[in-house]
Amino acid sequence: MSDDADDDWFEDALRDEESAETADGGDESAGTDSVGESADDTAGESAEPAAGDDRSAGASEPDDPFDGTESGFAGSDAEEGFDDTGGAGGFGDEGGLDGSDGDGVFGGDTSPFGDSGTAGSAFGDTGSADEGAFGGGDGGEGDLFEDDFGDAMGGVGGGDADFEDEDFESNIPCLDLGIEGLDNMVQGGIPLRHLIVIVGGAGTGKTTFGLQFLQHGLEKEDTDRGVFITLEQTYDDIMATAEERGWEFERHEREGNLAVIDLDPVEMANSLDNIRGELPELIEDFDADRFVLDSVSLLEMMYDDVSRRRTEVFDFTQSLKDAGVTTVLTSEANEDNPYASRHGIIEYLTDAVILLRYVRSETQETRLAVEIQKIRNANHSRETKPYEITMNGISVYEQANIF
């Protein structure tokens, strides 16, 4: 476009603006009519100029799409796209955004965001005749959800919805693990008949955890009977470990409150179908309250096929749930990820996951740390806390930080 053409366009725009202002003084605008109409007629009439007027967008080719004379953004007589005193500008009256008297997109009687006192507010402000989609008033015909939504949500802004602490308390019977400090991290204890997996690397105390879990039950006044099955050590090794810590496993075994069984993992894998069928019956006949399998990783290693491994482990855990006993399974951690089990299966099949791992500082100091990854139906801390393995077993320092 030439320079002369640019000047003509600019001068024409100025003349059109002056003409529009002159027309506003002597002609009644569409915005004035819309304000005078009743609330019920406002929404319909304010839309008429854009839809039915011969001068609406598309009726003729304007010199400039933003000059306001016949712009597609204009909504009524002699209106200006962005600045119309008394008309119905695209963004409201009085210069655009305040929407005092006209029918602009952000102001006027037909504002889609519903100014106070409007008739057709999309969101239904207080005092409107036809309430908006979310019902801002007395639940008029425009309410999308009406009163049912508020009732379903228990009221808005407080209402009658009073949440008491006891509403969140569980009535599921629970038991303590018997691990000092860790029990305090589990608020209320482990729900009965849950399956718990202890995931950790070598030397993190997985076997000690299982033995201590049984020992705590045996020491109770109302004794919890226990069964310990090991796939990693011999019967003599387990009994010697308990005796070294002063746990009287031999006496509890004589009294019929404890059974310690060592199984060859290959033999167990080959006869797993029989064991799955017999184990629930064994637990029921023994009247066991606590059961430990050390470790499930060796059982998983017996299956090279991933799908079969998953199926066999799933069926095995289901048989333990059917037995109705609170179970602790130990599992080796993944070599590349200390937060997951070796095969990444067992944590999805159990109700609780507790991680035991090494933590090394910048000075290469090595500490043991415990973390509760999940416990279904129980509140628990998600902090990582240091622990030690002593002659008394595992002790968690819940008040301390790692470093």
Side-chain angles (χ1 to χ4, degrees), residues 84-115:
D84 185 10
T85 56
F91 288 90
D93 305 334
E94 313 272 348
L97 294 177
D98 62 352
S100 301
D101 298 319
D103 300 328
V105 175
F106 291 102
D109 290 348
T110 56
S111 169
F113 296 97
D115 294 339

Side-chain angles (χ1 to χ4, degrees), residues 166-351:
E166 52 265 24
D167 292 339
F168 299 95
E169 292 180 358
S170 174
N171 294 322
I172 301 175
C174 299
L175 54 76
D176 291 334
L177 293 169
I179 308 296
E180 183 181 355
L182 184 61
D183 281 320
N184 293 333
M185 295 175 65
V186 183
Q187 302 171 21
I190 301 289
L192 290 177
R193 295 178 292 278
H194 265 25
L195 266 65
I196 309 155
V197 61
I198 313 302
V199 179
T204 55
K206 299 185 299 296
T207 300
T208 300
F209 193 112
L211 295 174
Q212 193 168 343
F213 171 71
L214 293 182
Q215 170 64 15
H216 181 71
L218 294 169
E219 288 181 337
K220 292 172 56 179
E221 183 176 350
D222 183 14
T223 304
D224 285 347
R225 292 187 171 187
V227 174
F228 188 96
I229 294 180
T230 177
L231 304 181
E232 294 185 331
Q233 303 183 53
T234 65
Y235 169 88
D236 292 337
D237 290 337
I238 296 299
M239 300 304 285
T241 300
E243 183 178 358
E244 186 178 9
R245 287 189 163 86
W247 300 339
E248 300 179 300
F249 273 28
E250 291 186 0
R251 177 176 66 83
H252 291 301
E253 193 175 42
R254 289 194 304 269
E255 293 175 354
N257 293 324
L258 176 66
V260 177
I261 304 166
D262 58 344
L263 290 177
D264 182 271
V266 177
E267 179 182 345
M268 182 174 181
N270 292 335
S271 58
L272 188 58
D273 289 338
N274 292 334
I275 292 175
R276 269 202 308 265
E278 296 172 1
L279 189 59
E281 184 177 349
L282 168 66
I283 292 173
E284 183 178 355
D285 291 344
F286 192 76
D287 195 22
D289 302 293
R290 302 182 180 220
F291 173 76
V292 176
L293 174 66
D294 183 34
S295 81
V296 71
S297 297
L298 291 179
L299 180 62
E300 293 174 319
M301 289 171 60
M302 296 299 105
Y303 306 101
D304 294 330
D305 183 73
V306 176
S307 61
R308 187 185 177 194
R309 179 190 300 133
R310 182 179 293 273
T311 300
E312 294 290 347
V313 174
F314 173 79
D315 291 342
F316 180 71
T317 56
Q318 284 300 116
S319 68
L320 295 176
K321 289 184 177 181
D322 293 339
V325 62
T326 306
T327 301
V328 166
L329 306 173
T330 67
S331 173
E332 295 179 12
N334 188 291
E335 293 181 359
D336 300 322
N337 181 8
Y339 297 96
S341 66
R342 172 181 285 235
H343 297 286
I345 297 175
I346 193 63
E347 51 262 57
Y348 295 98
L349 303 178
T350 52
D351 304 298

Side-chain angles (χ1 to χ4, degrees), residues 30-35 37-53 74-77 79 88-89 101-104 107-112 119-120:
T32 305
D33 293 340
S34 65
V35 173
E37 292 295 329
S38 65
D40 293 333
D41 297 330
T42 301
E45 292 196 6
S46 63
E48 287 179 3
D53 200 319
S76 58
D77 296 340
E79 63 262 39
D101 298 319
D103 300 328
D109 290 348
T110 56
S111 169

Side-chain angles (χ1 to χ4, degrees), residues 1-16 63:
M1 180 180 294
S2 65
D3 294 338
D4 292 340
D6 289 340
D7 294 339
D8 291 342
W9 173 85
F10 184 71
E11 292 175 0
D12 289 342
L14 290 177
R15 284 195 296 272
D16 290 340
D63 294 333

